[in-house]
């Protein structure tokens, strides 16, 4: 009967002696891997719940920030303004992806509805950089000399009118299309100087609760009708990847700033989940270290218990490289099986969780994320390298 | 394992010239220096391909010399040079390659794995190199010539010394080599079996163009020795 070299080595280097240790190490590795991967997958899933298009309105990525108006501040508008230092500080925060001022008008504005509607009101304008506006419209532009000003209204404003005011006052409800078709007579003035424009509603914004006009119009009008002073902004807008980022929420809180609370409501949940996930991941790492330790003890025991045999093998010409390869071949299937089992268990969990969540209209991918696979490969590689170093060390010691 | 054959180390160690320079075993130092020896504390070159006999009465360090030559003991002063380089200058992987391809050994204490059968002991050495030097038929043939066919499937533990010695001889002959180092290789064999073993060894050495270094207690005429030394 022909036997391979490794087949014969198996009869000489008895790995059975440390079987309990090997089983313990493998079990430890499996649990460690499961915890680690679970932590990573849970993290990915939660991110997905908060950020994916299906789960959330994308406008949550923009936050309008202003200072909280307190009783002490009332009547002192300067106290609600952002100083240049405060602005620079917001800009340099890691959660700020983009930053823009909301510029207010420094002149008087009145609006009148055309024809027989007998509607007349004082109002205000604000402008923000175009990148922050969620209304994409060709008409959203103004050139010096144009007599028509494009205006964006907050969606909420039309809703307030249609469902609050119009119904109770027996006025007609108005559709978005109608509003867009209505030319408004806009008068802006400063003292005795006045100028009339035609205002056209070009869109409705969910993101910014204000009456918006193009930035260059605001600049021109502030120059012509303003008092010449550049006033500091009292509202700023930032773009952020994650409005529920606890760092962001903590920052706003510390500085006494406020924003749309609805958008940051996930912050606390996220912090709790992050803590749980970190604890699980931490235990995974600790367990992984223990598994590595037990593996190392197993290798040491096997090599020590077969010291004489291994020395004779080396005397007869067995290369240390052959011994290392033989020993590692005992482990590699264990790593791979452990990795695959951990991934399978997790994939099952993920699929099940995805199904349950879907019934609550929350969507996470039914498949594991690439990070989880990547982490599994990394853990297997780590264990392989650590064990290889151990084998190398102990083989070199006795050969 | 393919890398093993490509190793340059294997190609240039084809001559396997062994030289001794003032070799003195530390534990036997006083004893060795008191009496004259052809080997200890001399400059000697073993010419590749020569059949070398070293006659050594008990206690003169015969087995110690064999272990120095095969580089498994290092407690000496002086030098053992292989192709002009100290044994110590070769790394473990290269030494392993040399033991698989350049130098073979039959120990006095035989060193058979007791957990393997006689045949597996030989097979272990045969398949240690990825491309075995001789076929398993050749092993059977050698076993038949040394009258050990019937014990091939016996456990190493149950073999007699004479059987172990013949298995050790066959094990040493399944690999390629330039030198075969033997320590009292016929000590446990009767005259008839010793003759057969010597014939086989002589044939195998000539087939490889290899030499041997044989140590024994007494004078003998089993081989046409090229050189004789007294330890």
């Amino acid at each position: 009967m022909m036997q391979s070299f490794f087949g014969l080595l198996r009869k000489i280097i008895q790995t059975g002696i440390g079987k309990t240790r090997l089983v313990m190490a493998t079990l430890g590795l499996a649990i460690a891997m499961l915890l680690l991967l679970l932590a990573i997958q849970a993290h990915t899933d939660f991110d997905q719940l908060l950020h994916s298009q299906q789960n959330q309105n994308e406008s949550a990525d923009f936050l309008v920030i202003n200072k909280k108006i307190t009783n002490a501040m009332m009547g002192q508008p300067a106290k609600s303004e952002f100083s240049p230092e405060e602005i620079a500080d917001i800009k340099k925060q890691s959660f700020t992806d983009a930053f823009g001022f909301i510029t207010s008008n420094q002149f008087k504005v009145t609006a009148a509805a055309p024809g027989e509607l007998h509607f007349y009101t004082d109002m205000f304008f604000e402008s923000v950089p175009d990148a922050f506006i969620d209304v994409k419209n060709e008409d959203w532009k103004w050139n010096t000399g144009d007599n028509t000003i494009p205006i964006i209204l907050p969606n909420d404003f039309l809703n307030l009118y249609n469902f609050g005011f119009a119904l109770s006052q027996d006025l007609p409800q108005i559709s978005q299309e109608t509003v867009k078709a209505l030319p408004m007579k806009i008068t802006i003035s400063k003292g005795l100087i006045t100028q009339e424009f035609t205002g056209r509603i070009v869109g409705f914004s969910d993101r910014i609760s204000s009456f918006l006009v193009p930035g260059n119009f605001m600049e021109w009008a502030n120059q012509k009708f303003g008092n010449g002073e550049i006033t500091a902004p009292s509202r700023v807008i930032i773009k952020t990847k994650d409005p529920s980022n606890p760092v962001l929420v903590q920052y706003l809180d510390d500085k006494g700033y406020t924003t749309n609370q609805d958008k940051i409501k996930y912050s606390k949940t996220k912090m709790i989940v992050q803590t749980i996930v970190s604890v699980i991941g931490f235990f995974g790492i600790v367990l992984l270290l223990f598994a590595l330790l037990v593996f190392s003890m197993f290798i040491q025991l096997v090599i020590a218990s077969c010291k004489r045999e291994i020395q004779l093998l080396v005397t007869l010409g067995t290369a240390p490289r052959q011994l290392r390869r033989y020993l590692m071949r005992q482990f590699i299937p264990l790593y791979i099986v452990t990795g695959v089992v951990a991934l399978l268990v997790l994939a099952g969990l993920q699929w099940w969780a995805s199904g349950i969540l879907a019934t609550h209209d929350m969507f996470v991918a039914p498949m594991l994320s690439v990070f989880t696979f990547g982490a599994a490969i990394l853990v297997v590689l780590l264990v392989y390298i650590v064990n290889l170093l151990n084998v190398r060390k102990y083989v070199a010691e006795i050969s | 394992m393919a890398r093993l054959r490509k190793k340059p180390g294997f190609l240039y160690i084809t001559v396997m010239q062994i030289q001794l320079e003032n070799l003195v075993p530390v534990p036997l130092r006083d004893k060795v220096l008191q009496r004259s020896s052809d080997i200890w504390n001399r400059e000697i070159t073993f010419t590749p391909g020569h059949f070398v006999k070293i006659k050594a009465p008990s206690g003169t360090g015969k087995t110690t010399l064999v272990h120095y030559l095969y580089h498994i003991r290092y407690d000496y002063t002086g030098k053992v040079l292989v192709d002009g380089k100290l044994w110590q200058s070769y790394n473990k992987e290269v030494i392993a390659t040399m033991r698989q391809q350049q130098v073979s050994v039959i120990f006095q204490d035989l060193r058979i794995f007791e957990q393997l059968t006689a045949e597996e002991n030989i097979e272990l050495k045969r398949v240690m190199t990825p491309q075995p030097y001789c076929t398993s038929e050749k092993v059977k043939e050698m076993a038949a010539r040394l009258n050990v066919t019937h014990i091939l499937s016996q456990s190493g533990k149950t073999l007699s010394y004479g059987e172990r010695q013949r298995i050790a001889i066959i094990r040493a002959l399944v690999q390629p080599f330039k030198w075969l180092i033997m320590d009292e290789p016929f000590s446990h064999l009767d005259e008839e079996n010793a003759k057969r073993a010597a014939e086989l060894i002589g044939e195998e050495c000539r087939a490889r163009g290899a030499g041997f270094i044989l140590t024994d207690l007494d004078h003998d005429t089993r081989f046409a020795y090229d050189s004789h030394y007294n330890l």
Side-chain angles (χ1 to χ4, degrees):
Chain A
M1 188 189 62
M2 301 286 275
Q3 292 202 46
S4 70
F5 182 56
F6 282 178
L8 290 164
L9 283 189
R10 187 160 296 131
K11 295 190 175 179
I12 297 169
I13 302 174
Q14 301 277 335
T15 47
I17 182 157
K19 205 155 244 169
T20 342
R21 265 171 230 221
L22 187 61
V23 168
M24 273 165 57
T26 311
L27 208 66
L29 177 64
I31 297 170
M33 193 117 105
L34 212 56
L35 289 179
L36 265 179
L37 299 187
L38 184 70
I40 290 165
Q41 184 62 41
H43 187 266
T44 318
D45 285 353
F46 196 71
D47 260 11
Q48 207 173 18
L49 276 178
L50 286 188
H51 298 299
S52 84
Q53 299 283 339
Q54 278 170 304
N55 289 305
Q56 196 179 352
N57 187 334
E58 54 93 38
S59 76
D61 288 351
F62 292 87
L63 294 177
V64 174
I65 297 170
N66 52 266
K67 293 187 172 178
K68 223 172 263 173
I69 306 289
T70 60
N71 286 342
M73 285 161 67
M74 282 166 66
Q76 299 169 278
K79 286 206 169 165
S80 70
E81 289 167 359
F82 287 97
S83 71
E85 293 77 33
E86 287 169 331
I87 288 164
D89 194 53
I90 297 174
K91 277 184 181 170
K92 75 169 193 240
Q93 297 302 315
S94 59
F95 50 77
T96 310
D97 289 344
F99 177 91
F101 298 119
I102 297 185
T103 315
S104 316
N105 57 316
Q106 299 167 358
F107 44 82
K108 205 164 145 41
V109 185
T110 59
E116 303 299 310
L117 283 169
H118 300 298
F119 170 81
Y120 173 88
T121 181
D122 280 339
M123 65 181 292
F124 67 95
F125 285 141
E126 286 184 307
S127 73
V128 298
D130 284 354
F132 292 96
I133 297 175
D134 53 345
V135 176
K136 301 285 171 248
N137 194 315
E138 284 179 16
D139 295 331
W140 181 252
K141 59 172 192 264
W142 185 85
N143 297 315
T144 317
D146 285 0
N147 204 37
T148 305
I149 320 165
I151 299 170
I152 292 173
L153 295 186
N155 226 343
D156 293 339
F157 181 72
L158 189 62
N159 290 339
L160 277 177
Y161 171 79
N162 275 338
F163 304 107
F165 193 66
L167 286 180
S168 62
Q169 303 291 315
D170 220 11
L171 288 166
Q173 288 181 308
I174 319 175
S175 70
Q176 287 198 351
E177 287 68 35
T178 311
V179 175
K180 284 183 182 172
L182 285 177
M184 309 275 286
K185 198 174 94 182
I186 304 289
T187 309
I188 63 178
S189 58
K190 160 129 176 121
L192 293 172
I193 323 165
T194 60
Q195 187 164 356
E196 283 188 9
F197 294 89
T198 308
R200 261 194 199 286
I201 312 298
V202 299
F204 299 86
S205 171
D206 282 316
R207 187 179 294 163
I208 301 161
S209 291
S210 186
F211 302 100
L212 297 176
V213 290
N216 56 350
F217 171 76
M218 182 64 91
E219 209 174 300
W220 172 83
N222 270 348
Q223 212 159 32
K224 185 163 178 193
F225 297 93
N227 48 20
E229 282 171 31
I230 298 171
T231 49
S234 54
R235 293 212 289 176
V236 298
I237 181 165
I238 62 162
K239 185 180 177 196
T240 182
K241 277 196 197 69
D242 179 9
S244 58
N245 183 349
V247 179
L248 166 70
V249 176
Q250 189 63 42
Y251 180 81
L252 296 182
D253 215 35
D254 288 349
K255 298 280 181 179
Y257 302 159
T258 176
T259 186
N260 186 343
Q261 293 301 314
D262 193 47
K263 290 177 177 172
I264 56 173
K265 70 182 172 190
Y266 289 114
S267 168
K268 204 156 206 129
T269 325
K270 180 161 187 177
M271 223 149 79
I272 293 167
V273 170
Q274 266 182 353
T275 312
I276 294 173
V277 163
S278 307
V279 168
I280 294 176
F282 175 76
F283 276 112
I285 288 171
V286 169
L287 206 57
L288 180 67
L289 290 178
F290 274 103
L292 284 173
L293 194 70
V294 180
F295 263 121
S296 159
M297 283 162 61
F298 169 75
I299 291 167
Q300 207 175 355
L301 178 73
V302 164
I303 293 179
S305 73
C306 302
K307 190 175 172 190
R308 281 188 54 224
E309 283 82 359
I310 290 175
Q311 280 172 342
L312 179 50
L313 281 167
V314 171
T315 302
L316 291 176
T318 308
R321 186 177 44 230
Q322 287 174 302
L323 289 172
R324 288 200 296 268
R325 192 174 301 196
Y326 166 75
L327 287 168
M328 286 315 287
R329 199 173 274 201
Q330 314 299 306
F331 299 128
I332 290 168
L334 284 181
Y335 309 150
I336 294 177
V337 168
T338 310
V340 168
V341 166
L343 282 175
L344 280 178
V345 169
L346 220 58
L349 272 177
Q350 176 75 5
W351 185 79
W352 175 75
S354 152
I356 299 272
L357 287 173
T359 61
H360 301 310
D361 283 332
M362 293 192 273
F363 299 97
V364 296
M367 296 297 191
L368 295 178
S369 77
V370 276
F371 296 111
T372 312
F373 280 103
I377 291 170
L378 274 182
V379 170
V380 167
L381 263 182
L382 174 77
V383 178
Y384 170 80
I385 289 168
V386 170
N387 283 350
L388 184 65
L389 289 177
N390 274 318
V391 165
R392 191 177 277 274
K393 179 176 147 213
Y394 295 125
V395 166
E397 265 173 22
I398 68 162
S399 66
Chain B
M1 292 311 292
R3 272 182 304 155
L4 203 67
R5 290 193 302 282
K6 284 184 206 144
K7 264 209 177 295
F10 160 52
L11 290 172
Y12 74 79
I13 319 164
T14 45
V15 186
M16 274 303 276
Q17 191 181 59
I18 300 177
Q19 287 168 279
L20 309 181
E21 283 182 18
N22 302 318
L23 185 66
V24 176
V26 173
L28 299 173
R29 181 164 198 92
D30 297 338
K31 207 166 158 189
V32 158
L33 294 180
Q34 274 167 19
R35 44 183 288 274
S36 80
S37 157
D38 298 340
I39 303 280
W40 299 131
N41 208 15
R42 306 262 164 163
E43 306 235 332
I44 293 166
T45 302
F46 294 116
T47 315
H50 276 203
F51 286 9
V52 178
K53 166 76 188 276
I54 297 173
K55 196 181 139 207
S58 298
T60 50
K62 171 175 56 66
T63 297
T64 307
L65 174 67
V66 166
H67 289 182
Y68 291 167
L69 290 174
Y70 194 67
H71 194 53
I72 52 175
R73 247 182 97 169
Y74 331 101
D75 53 342
Y76 54 79
T77 58
K79 294 173 183 168
V80 181
L81 300 161
V82 176
D83 285 338
K85 283 171 68 183
L86 289 173
W87 253 135
Q88 285 86 339
S89 69
Y90 294 95
N91 75 36
K92 284 176 179 171
E93 302 288 342
V94 173
I95 288 173
T97 312
M98 290 165 83
R99 286 174 183 167
Q100 288 180 16
Q101 318 250 357
Q102 308 284 325
V103 55
S104 193
V105 69
I106 300 166
F107 289 111
Q108 188 194 19
D109 53 355
L110 306 173
R111 305 199 179 183
I112 296 288
F113 282 107
E114 296 199 335
Q115 55 270 70
L116 300 184
T117 65
E119 188 172 23
E120 283 168 345
N121 266 287
I122 300 166
E123 189 69 4
L124 177 77
K125 183 76 196 183
R126 192 179 79 85
V127 296
M128 196 178 282
T129 40
Q131 272 152 351
Y133 175 78
C134 72
T135 61
S136 43
E137 285 73 36
K138 171 78 181 169
V139 171
K140 292 252 160 46
E141 193 191 309
M142 291 195 281
R145 282 184 63 176
L146 300 190
N147 293 324
V148 285
T149 308
H150 61 289
I151 55 111
L152 280 182
S153 55
Q154 268 184 37
S155 156
K157 211 180 303 182
T158 64
L159 299 177
S160 72
Y161 279 109
E163 288 160 349
R164 285 178 194 220
Q165 193 151 42
R166 281 172 284 173
I167 296 302
I169 290 170
I170 298 172
R171 181 173 70 180
L173 295 178
V174 295
Q175 69 165 91
F177 56 79
K178 291 283 169 200
W179 281 109
L180 174 61
I181 299 170
M182 298 179 276
D183 191 1
E184 294 191 54
F186 313 121
S187 57
H188 299 290
L189 302 183
D190 57 55
E191 192 49 41
E192 169 62 16
N193 277 319
K195 214 182 107 203
R196 286 165 169 268
E199 257 168 38
L200 182 65
I201 290 168
E203 266 173 44
E204 291 299 322
C205 285
R206 279 189 291 276
R208 290 165 173 81
F212 67 64
I213 298 170
L214 185 151
T215 66
D216 213 334
L217 299 168
D218 308 303
H219 180 70
D220 75 276
T221 54
R222 287 193 220 283
F223 296 98
Y225 297 115
D226 295 301
S227 39
H228 281 271
Y229 295 92
N230 285 306
L231 192 62

